Amino acid sequence: MTFLDNIRIRSKILAVIIPLCVVGIAGVVLMAKNYKAADDAYSDLLAEDDVASIAVARATQRLAAISYNAYQTLVYDDASSDMPEIVADYEKNKKDLFEFLESAKAHAQARSASIDPLVVHLKDTVAIIDEAVKAGAVNDNDKAKALLRTADKKIKGEIVEVRAWLDDSIKNVQIQSDALTDNTNNTILYTLSVLGTVFVLALIAALFVVSRGIV
C-alpha cells in the first residue's frame, strides 16, 4: 500500500483544496501588486510631466502679465496713485515667472535641461522690460516704447519656444503612458499564464491524490 492509501479521507480532501486555495490567493496578491506598481508609475508620470507642463503654462501667463504691466506704465502718469501698484504687480509677476520655471525644472528633472535655454532668453527679455518699466514709471515714454518694441520681438520667439516645449511634453506623456499600458498588459498576460500553468499542475496533483484513495 502507498502512503496516499494510508492517509485519512479528510487529509486527502485538504490535500486537494489547500493547493488550489494557495494558488488562488497567490494570484490575487500578485495581481494586486502588479496593479499597484502600474498605478504608482502612472501617478509618478502625472506628478512629474503634467505638473511641469502646468508650471510652464503658468509662467507664460506671468510673461503676459509683466508685458501688460510694462504697457500700463505708458498709460498712467508717474504721479498717479496707481503707479506704485503697477510697479509692485510687475515685480511680483516677474518673481512668479521664474519661480514657475524653477518648479517645472524640479518636477521634470529628466527634461530640466530643455528649460534652461528658455530661462536664459527670458532673463534677457525681462532685463529689457525692467528698463522699460523704470522709464515708463518716470514718464520717459519714448524710451519705454523703444525698449518694449525690442522686448516684443524677443517675446514672440520665446512664446514659440514655450509652445514647442509644451508640445514635446504632451508627446512625452503620451509615449510614457502607452509604454505603461503595454507593460501592464504584458504583466497581466504573463501573470495569468503563470497562474494558469500552476493551477493546472495543482489540479493534476489534486486529481492524482483523489485517484489514490477517495472511493
Side-chain angles (χ1 to χ4, degrees):
M1 297 179 67
T2 65
F3 171 74
L4 290 176
D5 292 329
N6 293 326
I7 63 175
R8 300 171 61 182
I9 292 177
R10 184 177 68 178
S11 298
K12 293 178 180 179
I13 294 174
L14 290 176
V16 173
I17 295 175
I18 290 176
L20 295 178
C21 290
V22 170
V23 171
I25 293 172
V28 171
V29 171
L30 186 58
M31 291 291 285
K33 181 181 179 181
N34 289 335
Y35 273 115
K36 181 64 169 59
D39 180 68
D40 289 345
Y42 195 73
S43 295
D44 289 342
L45 173 63
L46 294 179
E48 293 175 4
D49 286 83
D50 277 13
V51 173
S53 295
I54 291 171
V56 170
R58 295 184 73 182
T60 305
Q61 187 277 329
R62 292 303 190 276
L63 178 60
I66 65 173
S67 299
Y68 172 70
N69 294 145
Y71 279 100
Q72 280 184 301
T73 64
L74 302 178
V75 176
Y76 291 88
D77 188 85
D78 61 348
S80 169
S81 60
D82 294 311
M83 187 61 77
E85 183 179 348
I86 292 170
V87 174
D89 283 346
Y90 170 78
E91 293 297 333
K92 182 181 183 304
N93 287 324
K94 181 174 67 173
K95 178 173 177 289
D96 290 346
L97 166 63
F98 292 107
E99 285 183 350
F100 282 134
L101 291 174
E102 288 302 318
S103 175
K105 291 177 62 177
H107 284 94
Q109 294 183 3
R111 302 177 62 226
S112 63
S114 65
I115 301 176
D116 290 334
L118 178 61
V119 173
V120 172
H121 297 158
L122 284 172
K123 284 183 177 179
D124 289 341
T125 301
V126 169
I128 296 171
I129 300 175
D130 279 341
E131 295 303 314
V133 169
K134 290 176 183 177
V138 294
N139 282 354
D140 190 354
N141 290 345
D142 289 339
K143 180 180 179 180
K145 289 177 182 178
L147 289 166
L148 289 175
R149 280 194 291 269
T150 301
D152 282 346
K153 294 176 182 178
K154 294 176 69 66
I155 289 172
K156 288 179 182 179
E158 284 143 14
I159 289 175
V160 172
E161 285 186 73
V162 169
R163 287 174 180 169
W165 192 92
L166 289 173
D167 287 344
D168 286 343
S169 181
I170 292 171
K171 291 178 183 178
N172 184 58
V173 169
Q174 186 61 56
I175 290 171
Q176 291 189 62
S177 178
D178 290 344
L180 286 173
T181 298
D182 291 341
N183 183 62
T184 300
N185 290 338
N186 291 336
T187 299
I188 291 172
L189 180 60
Y190 173 77
T191 302
L192 290 176
S193 299
V194 171
L195 288 176
T197 301
V198 173
F199 186 83
V200 170
L201 292 175
L203 185 60
I204 291 173
L207 291 174
F208 175 74
V209 171
V210 170
S211 69
R212 299 295 296 178
I214 301 179
V215 294

